[in-house]
mmCIF file of all heavy atoms in Angstrom:
data_model
loop_
_atom_site.group_PDB
_atom_site.id
_atom_site.type_symbol
_atom_site.label_atom_id
_atom_site.label_comp_id
_atom_site.label_asym_id
_atom_site.label_seq_id
_atom_site.Cartn_x
_atom_site.Cartn_y
_atom_site.Cartn_z
ATOM 1 N N VAL A 42 35.621 -21.438 -11.980
ATOM 2 C CA VAL A 42 36.832 -20.828 -12.535
ATOM 3 C C VAL A 42 36.820 -20.996 -14.052
ATOM 4 O O VAL A 42 35.887 -21.551 -14.625
ATOM 5 C CB VAL A 42 38.115 -21.444 -11.914
ATOM 6 C CG1 VAL A 42 38.300 -20.969 -10.486
ATOM 7 C CG2 VAL A 42 38.120 -22.957 -11.987
ATOM 8 N N ALA A 43 37.901 -20.535 -14.700
ATOM 9 C CA ALA A 43 37.918 -20.537 -16.169
ATOM 10 C C ALA A 43 38.721 -21.693 -16.748
ATOM 11 O O ALA A 43 38.303 -22.311 -17.714
ATOM 12 C CB ALA A 43 38.480 -19.228 -16.670
ATOM 13 N N HIS A 44 39.888 -21.962 -16.188
ATOM 14 C CA HIS A 44 40.831 -22.915 -16.789
ATOM 15 C C HIS A 44 41.242 -24.003 -15.782
ATOM 16 O O HIS A 44 41.349 -23.684 -14.592
ATOM 17 C CB HIS A 44 42.120 -22.199 -17.223
ATOM 18 C CG HIS A 44 41.889 -20.954 -18.024
ATOM 19 N ND1 HIS A 44 42.274 -19.714 -17.587
ATOM 20 C CD2 HIS A 44 41.286 -20.783 -19.224
ATOM 21 C CE1 HIS A 44 41.923 -18.798 -18.495
ATOM 22 N NE2 HIS A 44 41.340 -19.434 -19.498
ATOM 23 N N PRO A 45 41.516 -25.223 -16.288
ATOM 24 C CA PRO A 45 42.164 -26.188 -15.431
ATOM 25 C C PRO A 45 43.491 -25.586 -14.957
ATOM 26 O O PRO A 45 44.276 -25.149 -15.791
ATOM 27 C CB PRO A 45 42.406 -27.407 -16.361
ATOM 28 C CG PRO A 45 41.516 -27.185 -17.525
ATOM 29 C CD PRO A 45 41.339 -25.696 -17.672
ATOM 30 N N ASP A 46 43.697 -25.501 -13.728
ATOM 31 C CA ASP A 46 44.794 -24.926 -12.924
ATOM 32 C C ASP A 46 44.376 -23.654 -12.210
ATOM 33 O O ASP A 46 45.036 -23.221 -11.269
ATOM 34 C CB ASP A 46 46.144 -24.762 -13.666
ATOM 35 C CG ASP A 46 46.356 -23.418 -14.375
ATOM 36 O OD1 ASP A 46 45.391 -22.657 -14.549
ATOM 37 O OD2 ASP A 46 47.492 -23.166 -14.772
ATOM 38 N N ASP A 47 43.251 -23.026 -12.611
ATOM 39 C CA ASP A 47 42.792 -21.829 -11.895
ATOM 40 C C ASP A 47 42.432 -22.162 -10.438
ATOM 41 O O ASP A 47 42.520 -21.293 -9.571
ATOM 42 C CB ASP A 47 41.502 -21.260 -12.537
ATOM 43 C CG ASP A 47 41.761 -20.534 -13.838
ATOM 44 O OD1 ASP A 47 42.938 -20.368 -14.212
ATOM 45 O OD2 ASP A 47 40.776 -20.093 -14.462
ATOM 46 N N GLU A 48 42.006 -23.399 -10.206
ATOM 47 C CA GLU A 48 41.618 -23.749 -8.829
ATOM 48 C C GLU A 48 42.792 -23.624 -7.865
ATOM 49 O O GLU A 48 42.608 -23.483 -6.664
ATOM 50 C CB GLU A 48 41.045 -25.180 -8.787
ATOM 51 C CG GLU A 48 42.035 -26.335 -8.726
ATOM 52 C CD GLU A 48 42.792 -26.570 -10.047
ATOM 53 O OE1 GLU A 48 42.458 -25.931 -11.071
ATOM 54 O OE2 GLU A 48 43.733 -27.408 -10.047
ATOM 55 N N THR A 72 36.328 -23.512 -19.316
ATOM 56 C CA THR A 72 36.995 -23.962 -20.552
ATOM 57 C C THR A 72 37.799 -25.213 -20.236
ATOM 58 O O THR A 72 37.985 -25.560 -19.078
ATOM 59 C CB THR A 72 37.985 -22.901 -21.110
ATOM 60 O OG1 THR A 72 39.196 -22.977 -20.363
ATOM 61 C CG2 THR A 72 37.432 -21.485 -21.006
ATOM 62 N N ASP A 116 39.180 -21.275 -24.652
ATOM 63 C CA ASP A 116 40.200 -20.503 -23.930
ATOM 64 C C ASP A 116 40.516 -19.275 -24.793
ATOM 65 O O ASP A 116 40.966 -19.431 -25.946
ATOM 66 C CB ASP A 116 41.432 -21.432 -23.753
ATOM 67 C CG ASP A 116 42.475 -20.861 -22.832
ATOM 68 O OD1 ASP A 116 42.503 -19.654 -22.634
ATOM 69 O OD2 ASP A 116 43.267 -21.686 -22.320
ATOM 70 N N TRP A 153 36.533 -16.080 -9.567
ATOM 71 C CA TRP A 153 37.438 -14.980 -9.907
ATOM 72 C C TRP A 153 36.730 -13.651 -9.746
ATOM 73 O O TRP A 153 35.519 -13.543 -10.005
ATOM 74 C CB TRP A 153 37.909 -15.123 -11.338
ATOM 75 C CG TRP A 153 38.940 -16.192 -11.596
ATOM 76 C CD1 TRP A 153 38.751 -17.325 -12.314
ATOM 77 C CD2 TRP A 153 40.317 -16.191 -11.194
ATOM 78 N NE1 TRP A 153 39.933 -18.034 -12.364
ATOM 79 C CE2 TRP A 153 40.896 -17.371 -11.707
ATOM 80 C CE3 TRP A 153 41.110 -15.304 -10.448
ATOM 81 C CZ2 TRP A 153 42.240 -17.711 -11.482
ATOM 82 C CZ3 TRP A 153 42.462 -15.644 -10.227
ATOM 83 C CH2 TRP A 153 42.980 -16.826 -10.747
ATOM 84 N N GLU A 161 47.522 -10.213 -14.522
ATOM 85 C CA GLU A 161 47.142 -11.147 -15.599
ATOM 86 C C GLU A 161 45.782 -10.706 -16.186
ATOM 87 O O GLU A 161 45.613 -10.651 -17.375
ATOM 88 C CB GLU A 161 47.018 -12.576 -15.054
ATOM 89 C CG GLU A 161 46.745 -13.560 -16.182
ATOM 90 C CD GLU A 161 46.634 -15.023 -15.726
ATOM 91 O OE1 GLU A 161 46.661 -15.254 -14.518
ATOM 92 O OE2 GLU A 161 46.533 -15.885 -16.597
ATOM 93 N N HIS A 163 42.984 -11.949 -16.768
ATOM 94 C CA HIS A 163 42.523 -12.786 -17.875
ATOM 95 C C HIS A 163 41.010 -12.596 -18.116
ATOM 96 O O HIS A 163 40.218 -12.712 -17.179
ATOM 97 C CB HIS A 163 42.820 -14.255 -17.548
ATOM 98 C CG HIS A 163 42.912 -15.126 -18.772
ATOM 99 N ND1 HIS A 163 41.897 -15.201 -19.710
ATOM 100 C CD2 HIS A 163 43.911 -15.907 -19.243
ATOM 101 C CE1 HIS A 163 42.264 -16.011 -20.671
ATOM 102 N NE2 HIS A 163 43.485 -16.474 -20.429
ATOM 103 N N ASP A 165 38.991 -14.534 -19.501
ATOM 104 C CA ASP A 165 38.253 -15.757 -19.136
ATOM 105 C C ASP A 165 38.025 -15.838 -17.620
ATOM 106 O O ASP A 165 36.958 -16.311 -17.175
ATOM 107 C CB ASP A 165 39.040 -17.000 -19.567
ATOM 108 C CG ASP A 165 39.014 -17.238 -21.067
ATOM 109 O OD1 ASP A 165 38.189 -16.620 -21.764
ATOM 110 O OD2 ASP A 165 39.861 -18.060 -21.539
ATOM 111 N N HIS A 166 39.010 -15.421 -16.836
ATOM 112 C CA HIS A 166 38.831 -15.415 -15.372
ATOM 113 C C HIS A 166 37.667 -14.528 -15.011
ATOM 114 O O HIS A 166 36.768 -14.902 -14.244
ATOM 115 C CB HIS A 166 40.089 -14.935 -14.664
ATOM 116 C CG HIS A 166 41.276 -15.846 -14.818
ATOM 117 N ND1 HIS A 166 42.496 -15.581 -14.256
ATOM 118 C CD2 HIS A 166 41.429 -17.015 -15.497
ATOM 119 C CE1 HIS A 166 43.359 -16.560 -14.564
ATOM 120 N NE2 HIS A 166 42.712 -17.409 -15.325
ATOM 121 N N ASP A 219 43.641 -12.227 -9.891
ATOM 122 C CA ASP A 219 44.958 -12.473 -10.500
ATOM 123 C C ASP A 219 45.714 -11.131 -10.703
ATOM 124 O O ASP A 219 46.573 -11.038 -11.559
ATOM 125 C CB ASP A 219 44.823 -13.225 -11.809
ATOM 126 C CG ASP A 219 43.970 -12.482 -12.845
ATOM 127 O OD1 ASP A 219 43.635 -11.304 -12.618
ATOM 128 O OD2 ASP A 219 43.630 -13.082 -13.903
ATOM 129 N N GLN A 260 51.357 -27.040 -18.039
ATOM 130 C CA GLN A 260 51.455 -25.612 -17.729
ATOM 131 C C GLN A 260 52.743 -25.348 -16.951
ATOM 132 O O GLN A 260 52.934 -25.826 -15.832
ATOM 133 C CB GLN A 260 50.246 -25.177 -16.910
ATOM 134 C CG GLN A 260 48.950 -25.743 -17.517
ATOM 135 C CD GLN A 260 47.844 -24.745 -17.549
ATOM 136 O OE1 GLN A 260 48.047 -23.564 -17.809
ATOM 137 N NE2 GLN A 260 46.627 -25.199 -17.315
HETATM 138 ZN ZN1 ZN B 501 43.492 -19.275 -15.899
#
Side-chain angles (χ1 to χ4, degrees):
V42 287
H44 311 117
D46 90 347
D47 285 356
E48 82 288 352
T72 79
D116 190 337
W153 285 112
E161 185 179 7
H163 203 305
D165 286 346
H166 294 180
D219 60 9
Q260 315 223 37

